Amino acid sequence: MKKDRNKQSAPAGKAGGKNGKVFDANLFAAESVKSLKAYVPGEQPSGGGWVKLNTNEFPYPPSPRVAEAIIAELKGGRDANLRLYPNPESRALRRAVAEHFGLEEKNAIIGNGSDDILNLAVRAFADKNLRIGAMRLSYSLYPVLANIQGAKYEEFDFGKNFSIPTRRICESGVNIFFLTSPNAPTAHGYEISEVEKLLKSFKGLVLIDEAYAPFSKAGSAACLVKKYKNAIVVCTMSKGWALAGMRVGWALADESAIGVLDKVRDSYNVDRLAQAAALAAIKDKSYYRRLCAKIVSTRAATEKFFDKIGFGYVPSSANFILVRPAANGKSGADVAADLFGHLKSEKILVRYFASDPLVNDSLRVTVGTPEEMEKFKESVKRWIGSQK
Ligand SMILES: *Cc1c(COP(=O)(O)O)cnc(C)c1O
């Protein structure tokens, strides 16, 4: 038989190739990718009629100025339209985001969602010798990014009451520590002073992933950027600015850290419409202040409901609640899975991390509109009724 590499590597189809072998591209994959388990995002169901409380999206539409800005961008004429590349550095948006947090343009970088920023940080600051540290639990994308990069990923148990184990982090010698603040998936919030303590004592970089800061009492850690050159404060417009569909996130840090991140960034990582939309959103402060406050009050009402029916939960500083369902005084993975299934059968989607023994007795419930939460509560009550 003639040796023909093209033929050998061509897709062999269901029945297998000539010699019965099924084509497997994984054999060609980089070592770090071969055994990689990809990140699994929450379900995005097709078709309407769902109460979607599973991916922590903002329950209200973005500021009306966002649509206006996108239309204006589309009608921008010859010098500003989709024919042309966007501003490579998202300059205007860097300036606006930096200003929003009392910083300067040189302190900001914009990403195609904050996942893009997290990816840049891993590529820039981690490799097989430069380890990444993070809390167990935290955002489950971090270890996936670390694995792609071939970087060691070290997990740290919480201190008492979810506190930051500062001493252990300092002694570990990791190069960069990813702090999800408020934490996900617990929704536990940290005081700025607690974050500051870590920045002060730790010699490495601290990436503060504050996707949920708009819903927290402590607010943004961006105020620490001027004082601590090892701080990289990352946020997204997906949660607090109702723009998950637009994909915009940022990092705020010392100029030199921004410079390193810029080195590994795609030249045109944020498209024209996203830049225009994000710029309009960040400027409409009063709109978001009002609606974030509304979400916080719906959150309090939902926590009260959980108190009433005897479900345990972590007091939330985010737009979601990690709740431990109980039936007849019993909780556990079976109970959580059962409620998850019941809710889904009534077209209410929440997040269930079935394979993680640390949280598989719990459900992560996004705080929706009061109307959505009413439907959720009614469904939970029906489930409780059916357990007796
Ligand atoms: C949602 C989320 C992100 C990702 O945000 P995108 O901008 O949508 O990529 C990052 N970190 C945490 C902790 C999140 O919850």
Side-chain angles (χ1 to χ4, degrees):
M1 200 173 78
K2 232 170 54 185
K3 282 230 161 159
D4 182 339
R5 195 178 149 77
N6 279 332
K7 251 187 202 150
Q8 277 191 349
S9 52
K14 250 193 196 149
K18 255 190 200 140
N19 36 27
K21 273 192 199 140
V22 176
F23 178 75
D24 180 7
N26 210 38
L27 297 172
F28 295 80
E31 212 46 58
S32 61
V33 176
K34 269 198 177 99
S35 56
L36 186 73
K37 273 212 211 111
Y39 175 75
V40 185
E43 196 176 338
Q44 299 295 346
S46 50
W50 287 88
V51 176
K52 212 174 154 299
L53 307 175
N54 68 330
T55 46
N56 301 343
E57 286 136 332
F58 208 76
Y60 303 103
S63 156
R65 294 195 200 164
V66 167
E68 288 165 19
I70 290 174
I71 290 165
E73 184 69 27
L74 284 171
K75 291 181 176 166
R78 240 198 103 67
D79 294 332
N81 69 31
L82 298 186
R83 185 179 68 80
L84 300 168
Y85 279 111
N87 183 288
E89 293 98 12
S90 311
R91 277 285 158 218
L93 189 51
R94 284 190 195 209
R95 200 172 317 126
V97 168
E99 263 169 27
H100 183 89
F101 292 99
L103 294 164
E104 292 169 56
E105 185 186 320
K106 63 180 185 195
N107 298 120
I109 180 172
I110 311 296
N112 178 29
S114 64
D115 286 351
D116 180 26
I117 298 284
L118 297 172
N119 191 23
L120 298 184
V122 170
R123 272 154 62 188
F125 298 117
D127 63 20
K128 63 181 193 312
N129 300 314
L130 303 174
R131 287 169 290 149
I132 301 172
M135 226 85 101
R136 163 133 176 81
L137 302 149
S138 49
Y139 184 33
S140 52
L141 177 69
Y142 306 152
V144 178
L145 296 176
N147 286 339
I148 295 171
Q149 178 76 355
K152 275 223 182 86
Y153 183 78
E154 224 163 277
E155 292 187 314
F156 293 75
D157 291 332
F158 293 118
K160 224 172 158 187
N161 297 325
F162 300 105
S163 63
I164 303 171
T166 302
R167 194 179 47 79
R168 274 185 276 134
I169 296 167
C170 291
E171 288 167 355
S172 70
V174 297
N175 193 53
I176 181 165
F177 190 85
F178 281 34
L179 178 73
T180 319
S181 172
N183 179 266
T186 65
H188 174 77
Y190 298 106
E191 299 293 338
I192 295 292
S193 58
E194 199 177 350
V195 177
E196 179 164 9
K197 208 175 93 196
L198 178 63
L199 286 166
K200 201 183 233 168
S201 0
F202 180 50
K203 294 278 189 300
L205 298 169
V206 180
L207 184 148
I208 300 146
D209 183 356
E210 57 175 33
Y212 302 104
F215 312 102
S216 73
K217 224 189 222 146
S220 174
C223 55
L224 300 173
V225 161
K226 272 196 192 144
K227 200 164 165 196
Y228 298 95
K229 295 196 184 290
N230 59 339
I232 303 175
V233 177
V234 175
C235 194
T236 172
M237 301 201 101
S238 300
K239 314 288 164 54
W241 281 268
L243 287 179
M246 220 58 241
R247 315 299 305 129
V248 178
W250 58 73
L252 298 165
D254 183 70
E255 190 178 2
S256 80
I258 298 296
V260 176
L261 292 171
D262 259 327
K263 282 212 271 191
V264 294
R265 182 178 57 80
D266 287 350
S267 332
Y268 301 104
N269 65 329
V270 183
D271 69 66
R272 271 181 181 276
L273 300 184
Q275 289 187 35
L279 197 55
I282 198 82
K283 287 184 173 169
D284 199 351
K285 287 191 191 188
S286 64
Y287 178 88
Y288 288 99
R289 203 178 299 130
R290 183 168 60 81
L291 289 178
C292 283
K294 214 167 154 178
I295 291 165
V296 167
S297 93
T298 310
R299 179 180 78 199
T302 309
E303 289 181 338
K304 225 184 227 165
F305 169 74
F306 289 143
D307 286 334
K308 211 172 81 190
I309 62 172
F311 284 14
Y313 61 90
V314 182
S316 171
S317 292
N319 67 338
F320 63 88
I321 302 168
L322 187 70
V323 64
R324 196 172 55 249
N328 306 315
K330 226 186 78 207
S331 51
D334 296 348
V335 177
D338 195 69
L339 176 56
F340 175 78
H342 163 83
L343 290 166
K344 196 166 177 181
S345 75
E346 299 198 345
K347 295 201 92 171
I348 297 168
L349 214 47
V350 299
R351 193 84 194 262
Y352 180 48
F353 302 98
S355 62
D356 192 329
L358 232 55
V359 279
N360 66 3
D361 63 348
S362 300
L363 299 175
R364 196 195 67 188
V365 181
T366 305
V367 177
T369 62
E371 296 73 32
E372 287 174 320
M373 297 326 280
E374 229 27 71
K375 285 185 188 163
F376 167 79
K377 290 183 208 170
E378 288 308 315
S379 181
V380 170
K381 283 191 223 159
R382 278 192 289 279
W383 176 80
I384 291 173
S386 73
Q387 299 297 302
K388 282 173 184 150

